[in-house]
Structure formats: structure tokens, C-alpha cells
Amino acid sequence: MVEIGYKLACEEHGPLELVCNARQAEDAGFTFAMISDHYHPWTSRQGQSPFAWGVIGGISQVTADLRLVTGVTCPTIRIHPGIIAQAAATAAIMMPGRFALGLGSGENLNEHVFGSHWPPAPVRIEMLEEAVEVIRLLWKGGMQDYYGAFYTLENAQVFSLPEDLPPIYIASEGPISASMAARVGDGFINPGSNAEKNLIIFRDSGGADKPAYIENSVCWAQTEEEGQRTAYEQWPIPANAGELNRLLPTPTHYEQAAKMVTPEDVAKHVVCGPDPEAHIRKIEESIGKGFDHVCIHQIGGQQQEFMEFYTKEVLPHFGK
């Protein structure tokens, strides 16, 4: 059975609001949530970017059953994988059996901020694979040393470890990272681009029995036109082509890129408006591609209205 989840978009909501939204998502019938882990929002209009790991602690205290996945954390440049190993272990203790670590190769927007060089994609994927090795090493317990191509550990030990280690899911939008995700990860995450093609690569590379997550952006609103306008103003990123979303360095650059697309361009990627059939079709498309976990990102401020709509009109279609 497919599971339907809710996106906690740190770019759009403050920390207390995110904690509240997580509790409401659980009450609404969503079985899991994914939380973004950024240093910057994509655009200044989005206006937020709290520290995701602090928010996770709050969520652990107000939910009982909701499972949480970082969607996704980059453990390669801005934050050393040894720190992520410690943070994820703590989160797994606070949410036993309910936490999963989603990892990706990141974006220049968040990772260059302390003066680090932003490497090309093949190098970023190599760094991510080594970071997973570092994390898993520390999760074995005991004092660890590691001298790799990118990372070093000297006398490092994570003392607070959960009884059951969290799974590691790898985000992918390309063939190299899709095959790597199958090789070193416990599951697959796709943010919505090149989804079917890369899921096939993941399955064929050894990920046949592993969970696969996809993110669908929507904008529930009272009219389709209002939804299209909000999506364009608040979340124009899906309309950017190619590697652009990995390379631009500041929210200002994304705002400049948004001037080159239209609300209609964004609406091609985002379900807008109050028609439940349109939302259901989008989820069914993801299921048809082979995904068993579909995370819904509601763009804009009408989160409670969106949840009420999904509780009444969408989730029952999938037996939720």
C-alpha cells in the first residue's frame, strides 16, 4: 500500500509553526513527514530557514506515530558527516522507530556559505558516498579513526546511539546517484524530476525491495487561478531546467531566474486549486511510476485548509 506524507518546508515556515504543522499532519492522517534541511530559503519571499535539527527535537515531543525523514540533509560540505551521524542518532533515540535519515548531494545555495568550493556533480556524489561510510562507521559505536579522500575522523565516538539504527535514504535526480543510492542506501528519494527513469535505475542496481519516496508540490487554494498565482510567487523553483537549482548561489539569483518563467510554467509542475481529482491523479501518477511513498508539499500559508481538504477529499481515496 502506498503511504501519503506531508512536507515540512523549512523555507516557508518558522520553527514553532513547523512543529505545529507536524502535529496537525499526524492528526490529519498523514503517516509520515519529510523536513527540508537548508541554510537559506530558495527565495527571500519564502522568508524562513530554521535549523532543521532543532525543529526535529520539537516534533519528537508533540507527535506519537508520525514518522519523519530528513528531506534531505547534505552531509558533505557545510556540515561534517560526523556531526550528522551524532544528530541523526539523537533524533532516532527521541523518535524510536520513527526517524529516517534522508541524504543528498546538496545545492550551492546552502553549501558554499562558509567559503567552501562547490564541486561538480560527480565529485559531490563521491563525497556523499564517503559521508555515508563515515556515518555508518560511527554508528557501529566505539572510538573510530577514518582517513578518506574527503573526510577525517580522529578519536571520534558517538556515545548516544539508538537501539535500532535509522535507515539511510539517498536522494537522486540522475543515473550516477540513483545507482549509488541502491548500492549504499536503504531507500530512494526523488524530489520530482526525472523520477521514473531514475527509479528504474535504482531498482535495477540493487534497490528492488527498498522503499522509494517522491515529492509532489501542490497548491490548494479556493480557485485554480489563486493557486497558480501563489505557487508562482512562493515556489517558482520547479520551472527551472537542468542543473540550475544545484548551481545558483543566493536567493537573489533564484528570484532573477523566476522572472524568466511564468505562472503557467510553474503550474505545469504543480497541481493548483481545489479539485480533488487533480490531486488524486497526481498521486496516482507517482504510484504508477513505482513509488510507494508520496510526500505532498503544500505551497503557501494555507496549511490547515490544505490538511482538511486532504483528510476529507484525497486521503480516503487511498484508504487513509
Side-chain angles (χ1 to χ4, degrees):
M1 291 289 291
V2 67
E3 295 197 30
I4 312 297
Y6 170 77
K7 183 62 180 282
L8 293 158
C10 290
E11 304 89 333
E12 297 179 278
H13 308 287
L16 297 178
E17 187 178 5
L18 289 164
V19 171
C20 180
N21 288 346
R23 172 61 185 270
Q24 291 179 336
E26 180 175 76
D27 292 342
F30 293 95
T31 58
F32 73 92
M34 300 184 75
I35 184 168
S36 55
D37 184 357
H38 277 210
Y39 195 83
H40 290 146
W42 298 98
T43 67
S44 297
R45 182 185 290 272
Q46 292 170 353
Q48 295 285 346
S49 197
F51 186 53
W53 294 94
V55 177
I56 288 170
I59 292 171
S60 74
Q61 299 304 294
V62 301
T63 59
D65 300 307
L66 187 76
R67 290 180 289 105
L68 186 64
V69 184
T70 52
V72 293
T73 289
C74 179
T76 61
I77 296 177
R78 173 172 50 98
I79 306 179
H80 192 284
I83 300 299
I84 297 302
Q86 183 188 29
T90 298
I93 293 170
M94 298 182 75
M95 303 183 74
R98 297 197 289 133
F99 178 78
L101 178 60
L103 300 177
S105 59
E107 307 88 17
N108 194 26
L109 173 70
N110 302 298
E111 303 307 318
H112 82 287
V113 293
F114 302 130
S116 299
H117 168 67
W118 182 240
V123 176
R124 300 199 304 267
I125 294 169
E126 289 180 14
M127 295 175 72
L128 178 58
E129 183 167 358
E130 186 172 303
V132 174
E133 186 175 346
V134 169
I135 292 168
R136 292 197 188 279
L137 176 64
L138 287 168
W139 283 355
K140 291 180 178 180
M143 197 69 69
Q144 301 292 348
D145 296 309
Y146 182 91
Y147 301 95
F150 303 104
Y151 306 108
T152 299
L153 297 176
E154 290 185 356
N155 307 325
Q157 180 173 353
V158 176
F159 277 84
S160 297
L161 290 170
E163 290 186 10
D164 296 312
L165 294 172
I168 295 177
Y169 303 148
I170 305 295
S172 168
E173 294 181 279
I176 299 175
S177 56
S179 60
M180 185 271 282
R183 186 173 63 256
V184 308
D186 302 308
F188 177 85
I189 297 174
N190 182 272
S193 61
N194 302 317
E196 186 170 16
K197 176 182 177 181
N198 288 301
L199 180 57
I200 291 172
I201 295 172
F202 173 78
R203 296 295 190 204
D204 291 344
S205 301
D209 299 323
K210 298 177 181 180
Y213 289 69
I214 189 171
E215 183 176 319
N216 289 345
S217 291
V218 306
C219 189
W220 178 91
Q222 292 186 347
T223 67
E224 184 175 358
E225 293 74 19
E226 180 187 346
Q228 290 183 3
R229 183 170 60 253
T230 299
Y232 174 71
E233 293 174 351
Q234 192 74 12
W235 203 268
I237 301 96
N240 294 337
E243 279 283 293
L244 201 62
N245 287 340
R246 303 290 164 258
L247 301 179
L248 297 181
T250 70
T252 300
H253 288 90
Y254 285 92
E255 291 155 16
Q256 293 169 354
K259 295 178 181 179
M260 295 185 284
V261 301
T262 67
E264 291 74 22
D265 293 329
V266 176
K268 292 176 183 177
H269 303 273
V270 178
V271 175
C272 298
D275 180 8
E277 292 303 319
H279 291 257
I280 289 169
R281 280 196 303 271
K282 184 66 174 178
I283 295 172
E284 288 179 336
E285 287 176 10
S286 296
I287 297 171
K289 293 175 182 177
F291 288 89
D292 46 34
H293 293 74
V294 182
C295 185
I296 309 300
H297 167 214
Q298 162 67 6
I299 298 168
Q302 295 179 300
Q303 300 296 310
Q304 185 170 356
E305 295 88 344
F306 155 80
M307 291 187 202
E308 291 173 356
F309 167 70
Y310 263 64
T311 298
K312 295 176 182 178
E313 305 287 348
V314 178
L315 294 181
H317 180 82
F318 299 96
K320 309 299 181 184

